Amino acid sequence: MITKILIANRGEIAARVIRTARKMGIATVAVYSEADAKALHVEMADEAVLIGPAPVSESYLKGEAILDAARRTGADAIHPGYGFLSENPDFVEKVEKAGLIFIGPSAKAIRAMGLKDAAKALMEKAKVPVVPGYHGEAQDLVVLAGKANEIGFPVLIKARAGGGGKGMRKVEAQADFAAALSSARREAKASFGDDRVLVEKYVTTPRHIEIQVFGDSHGNVVHLFERDCSAQRRHQKVIEEAPAPDMPDEMRAAMGAAAVQAAKAIHYAGAGTVEFIVDASEGLRPDRFWFMEMNTRLQVEHPVTELVTGLDLVEWQIRVAAGEALPMRQEDLAINGHAVEARIYAEDAGKGFLPAVGRLVHLRFPDGDIRVDAGVREGDEITPFYDPMIAKVIAHGKTRAEALGKLAGALGRTEIAGTVTNTAFLAKLCRDADFAAGRLDTGLIDRNLASLTTVAPAPDSIVALAALAASGMVAAGAADGDVARAIGPFEIWGTPRRRVVLEIDGEHRSFRIERCGADRWRVSGPGLESGLDLEAVRASGADWSFRADGITRRCRLAQSEPSVAVFHEGLTHLFGKPRGKRTDDKAAGGDQVVSAMPGVVKQVLAAQGQSVKSGDALVIMEAMKMEMTLAAPRDGVVAEVMVVVGAQVSDGVSLVTLQPEAEAA
Ligand code: ADP
Ligand code: ADP
Ligand code: MG
């Protein structure tokens, strides 16, 4: 009997395990690093124990600290999640030595599959088809290059200790082999402390199709069908689905049987995934799949299997770990419909998928018939310490087309501000003609990268709305939906007008906003030279409705210190609000004096037409009990003063404009 589980992980998978434990009436213990003190998994668990500072080597990878937490809380089992210690056999042994249950396979089974070369040798013996190649002892260039020739190019060099696509190099021709080998080795050494490699035939038109297996301690093994994870970038999964598109029954049966055979060969108990590479150059054929590796843990993409089988894999893991027999036999298992999962990451698809960080100032996941496995809440921070995955969004439908449509729609309704994400890229991929038609292989994303990552510039009306919102002249009103007006002394100074600087595509652009009616504004600036008239129809919380060019548009808007985010027609438009300008900041519009923080204007020292020298104080503001002097960015002439004493201004608002240099001269 398991009564209390400690989850040796964080993020979405820790939250995921806690949900099932709770459902089963099992108490939970979270462990966390200093960076995660307020994290979701900590809040969800019945008890939580701090195990160390932020770096994983000092917290989530510290087996001793985790065992100590289990001892102190009286946990009787440890669930490792994925990553971290989940495939570390030494840790499993320590857990068992401490008299606790490890919710996962035996140390022996993990070891057998831990190194790709030994695993392949073992699978060959078990008569599981393996990718043709060399996985022997020799490691010198001459032997490996010779093997590559025998195998025939292209080949793939793989770190035997590899994972997460690291230490892997595709080599097209003999001439490139030596360089590829040394770079694969370098990466393998740095990532895994082991630079030994194997060489494989690079399968053409490759599809990654994996089989979910489950074993118990009574010798039973079943498979829960396949997942297709061919939508990849740099050998890493982007979108996963079950079942595999166009999978013939005969091939499914053959792959399932091979995976069960693999698991039986190592007396596997618990959840595992046998990954195969498939040559799809002539469609899916039962004799064209080969074993790549086995992941001896729960996989990130397990939810798609759960949605098509109706099962809870974490519940199965816990039952099997407690010594129960598998709850179902192979013949009782069936696939119902189709499921697709997309991984939302904090990363900039347009900039080579550069990982991003930031506070999730606004976070809204789609509701309705959609599963969202998230590890974060609004206000949480994506830090550089951990994997930047924000959530997994998973859709189920009767058909693949229905599931894909639902997923794309759900991604469009996902609202994230505070960091850049790959959400738009994922939605585009769902709608990509090849992908939607099921014509996928692991090269699909790279082939279509340009179209998948280009973002159309925000429409003028959205830019104008963002500028208006950033100006602080319209605030989201009370629940009645009234558009709140510009406040305070502005009203008595004739036409209220302000300038704001927005960062768009890395460029600072200055906009002028003028109030020209009760709920009407004119926004002008770069791209909006002749001015665009906006009429605010409704602004309530994040819900905005505005009219421009005779069209009323609805959107959602989230404003925070660093940015304005407009969610419109399934797209997220992010506009940066540049911080206070340094005197030398030419790029930021050398003629703008911008508030650096929200506050009240205490003194206005500048007057229109006045000549000023760089560094002269122009406006004094008070914010958070701090006084701040805004100085002239350069020598020049004051063109316009847009604030009066007592005015409330938000940050990033332009307060004083200097005449353009050419004009002043
Ligand atoms: P594969 O090893 O076949 O690529 P997955 O796609 O399931 O398997 O996961 C990739 C790896 O990335 C996992 O083994 C895990 O180590 C790591 N990983 C992914 N997301 C996270 C996360 N949120 N926290 C910790 N590790 C993660
Ligand atoms: P990792 O441990 O990093 O997950 P894998 O061996 O599972 O390493 O390979 C990762 C990915 O690399 C696969 O999903 C597949 O896209 C690609 N790949 C691996 N082996 C081959 C191969 N022999 N031919 C073509 N592609 C391959
Ligand atoms: Mg793999």
Side-chain angles (χ1 to χ4, degrees):
M1 257 286 267
I2 293 175
T3 59
K4 191 187 269 192
I5 295 175
L6 179 144
I7 299 101
N9 215 302
R10 62 180 304 283
E12 68 89 16
I13 192 62
R16 161 78 193 84
V17 174
I18 292 172
R19 276 197 297 277
T20 289
R22 178 147 304 149
K23 182 183 84 179
M24 296 171 73
I26 298 171
T28 53
V29 181
V31 291
Y32 64 96
S33 71
E34 282 163 10
D36 277 340
K38 295 191 182 126
L40 177 67
H41 74 285
V42 175
E43 182 189 275
M44 284 175 72
D46 298 309
E47 290 169 286
V49 181
L50 175 66
I51 49 169
V56 293
S57 59
E58 296 171 52
S59 52
Y60 297 104
L61 288 178
K62 268 185 89 178
E64 286 307 330
I66 291 167
L67 282 173
D68 188 52
R71 240 173 264 130
R72 282 162 55 203
T73 53
D76 42 28
I78 294 186
H79 194 301
Y82 51 72
F84 297 141
L85 294 167
S86 62
E87 293 179 281
N88 182 327
D90 299 338
F91 178 65
V92 178
E93 278 164 358
K94 283 184 196 144
V95 170
E96 285 167 355
K97 219 156 128 210
L100 305 175
I101 296 172
F102 180 76
I103 303 177
S106 67
K108 216 173 147 196
I110 295 175
R111 260 192 205 108
M113 291 294 183
L115 297 172
K116 292 183 202 289
D117 51 0
K120 281 181 76 175
L122 189 72
M123 289 300 104
E124 268 176 335
K125 264 174 60 189
K127 305 259 185 301
V128 174
V130 305
V131 187
Y134 176 75
H135 44 266
E137 280 296 306
Q139 289 293 311
D140 54 297
L141 171 63
V142 181
V143 176
L144 292 179
K147 295 290 178 191
N149 251 343
E150 279 170 36
I151 296 163
F153 287 92
V155 298
L156 193 61
I157 301 173
K158 275 187 189 178
R160 66 164 189 169
K166 291 211 189 82
M168 208 178 280
R169 295 287 182 282
K170 180 181 176 188
V171 193
E172 302 284 354
Q174 184 71 57
D176 309 325
F177 190 83
L181 178 65
S182 56
S183 96
R185 276 204 175 123
R186 255 195 320 275
E187 192 172 297
K189 185 79 191 166
S191 308
F192 316 108
D194 179 344
D195 68 357
R196 298 177 69 92
V197 298
L198 53 149
V199 183
E200 277 182 7
K201 174 81 194 153
Y202 186 86
V203 171
T204 48
T205 325
R207 269 172 72 175
H208 173 120
I209 302 182
E210 59 187 33
I211 303 284
Q212 174 72 54
V213 293
F214 237 104
D216 64 22
S217 53
H218 309 278
N220 304 306
V221 180
V222 297
H223 70 83
L224 303 181
F225 314 106
E226 79 277 10
R227 288 184 290 257
D228 193 317
C229 313
S230 302
Q232 299 189 350
R233 212 185 50 80
R234 296 208 189 112
H235 308 301
Q236 300 218 50
K237 299 158 187 169
V238 175
I239 286 188
E240 304 101 342
E241 59 186 302
D246 302 319
M247 174 68 115
D249 288 341
E250 195 192 347
M251 182 168 182
R252 172 173 298 130
M255 291 185 77
V260 167
Q261 216 166 308
K264 282 193 168 156
I266 55 169
H267 306 287
Y268 198 81
T273 296
V274 183
E275 294 189 334
F276 295 99
I277 194 84
V278 171
D279 175 350
S281 55
E282 295 174 293
L284 297 184
R285 296 188 174 192
D287 59 346
R288 298 226 181 141
F289 68 89
W290 299 275
F291 172 90
M292 278 193 299
E293 66 162 345
M294 179 167 183
N295 293 322
T296 51
R297 54 172 160 84
L298 194 68
Q299 206 97 335
V300 175
E301 57 274 21
H302 76 276
V304 293
T305 299
E306 296 189 319
L307 292 191
V308 293
T309 58
L311 301 171
D312 179 335
L313 297 199
V314 174
E315 180 185 338
W316 276 39
Q317 283 190 299
I318 295 171
R319 289 187 184 286
V320 163
E324 287 182 35
L326 286 176
M328 289 171 89
R329 287 167 308 175
Q330 191 68 56
E331 53 272 31
D332 303 326
L333 292 158
I335 299 175
N336 167 30
H338 201 100
V340 195
E341 168 183 286
R343 303 184 186 194
I344 300 183
Y345 279 94
E347 62 183 17
D348 195 336
K351 291 194 184 129
F353 296 88
L354 201 67
V357 293
R359 185 174 297 283
L360 302 169
V361 291
H362 176 92
L363 182 65
R364 179 75 67 94
F365 290 118
D367 45 17
D369 184 19
I370 279 288
R371 171 167 167 183
V372 178
D373 284 17
V376 289
R377 298 150 299 186
E378 187 167 284
D380 286 351
E381 189 131 13
I382 304 294
T383 69
F385 298 110
Y386 312 114
D387 188 276
M389 188 161 79
I390 296 172
K392 306 184 298 202
V393 179
I394 315 111
H396 182 253
K398 284 191 283 298
T399 61
R400 182 171 190 264
E402 186 184 320
L404 271 181
K406 271 191 190 172
L407 181 61
L411 290 166
R413 281 179 284 127
T414 300
E415 300 172 0
I416 303 173
T419 182
V420 56
T421 75
N422 64 344
T423 313
F425 161 74
L426 294 170
K428 275 194 163 179
L429 182 54
C430 289
R431 296 190 166 115
D432 176 271
D434 287 330
F435 188 67
R439 285 190 299 270
L440 68 165
D441 64 80
T442 60
L444 179 133
I445 291 180
D446 274 341
R447 280 196 302 275
N448 301 352
L449 200 60
S451 70
L452 291 171
T453 54
T454 35
V455 270
D460 290 350
S461 60
I462 297 293
V463 175
L465 178 72
L468 174 61
S471 76
M473 292 172 85
V474 180
D480 64 3
D482 259 7
V483 178
R485 313 270 143 73
I487 13 80
F490 269 103
E491 302 287 359
I492 55 171
W493 287 87
T495 314
R497 53 183 191 271
R498 285 185 186 175
R499 264 187 185 279
V500 287
V501 177
L502 292 180
E503 190 182 326
I504 303 174
D505 296 333
E507 240 178 73
H508 288 191
R509 297 196 201 159
S510 170
F511 295 91
R512 181 191 168 96
I513 297 106
E514 233 177 313
R515 174 123 174 254
C516 42
D519 290 330
R520 298 169 60 86
W521 290 267
R522 167 161 299 175
V523 181
S524 47
L528 299 172
E529 276 76 13
S530 48
L532 187 72
D533 288 344
L534 287 188
E535 188 180 336
V537 177
R538 193 182 131 92
S540 170
D543 287 319
W544 286 60
S545 188
F546 68 101
R547 194 170 299 135
D549 291 331
I551 299 173
T552 303
R553 294 179 174 87
R554 286 180 45 182
C555 64
R556 307 246 314 150
L557 192 145
Q559 195 163 184
S560 63
E561 202 184 299
S563 63
V564 181
V566 182
F567 309 104
H568 180 245
E569 290 188 334
L571 291 176
T572 298
H573 302 285
L574 285 178
F575 303 91
K577 294 201 278 185
R579 311 290 354 243
K581 296 297 144 295
R582 292 177 310 268
T583 49
D584 58 355
D585 200 345
K586 276 269 159 55
D591 37 42
Q592 302 297 325
V593 178
V594 178
S595 61
M597 50 189 182
V600 178
V601 174
K602 298 304 277 185
Q603 274 189 63
V604 177
L605 305 163
Q608 194 177 342
Q610 183 188 340
S611 292
V612 293
K613 288 245 168 301
S614 170
D616 282 358
L618 302 182
V619 175
I620 297 175
M621 281 181 60
E622 191 187 87
M624 291 178 278
K625 303 225 158 61
M626 250 173 54
E627 212 171 71
M628 191 172 175
T629 303
L630 298 174
R634 56 170 169 82
D635 295 358
V637 176
V638 174
E640 201 173 0
V641 177
M642 288 164 291
V643 280
V644 292
V645 172
Q648 282 274 356
V649 293
S650 49
D651 66 334
V653 173
S654 182
L655 308 178
V656 175
T657 314
L658 301 184
Q659 279 177 15
E661 274 176 292
E663 219 175 281

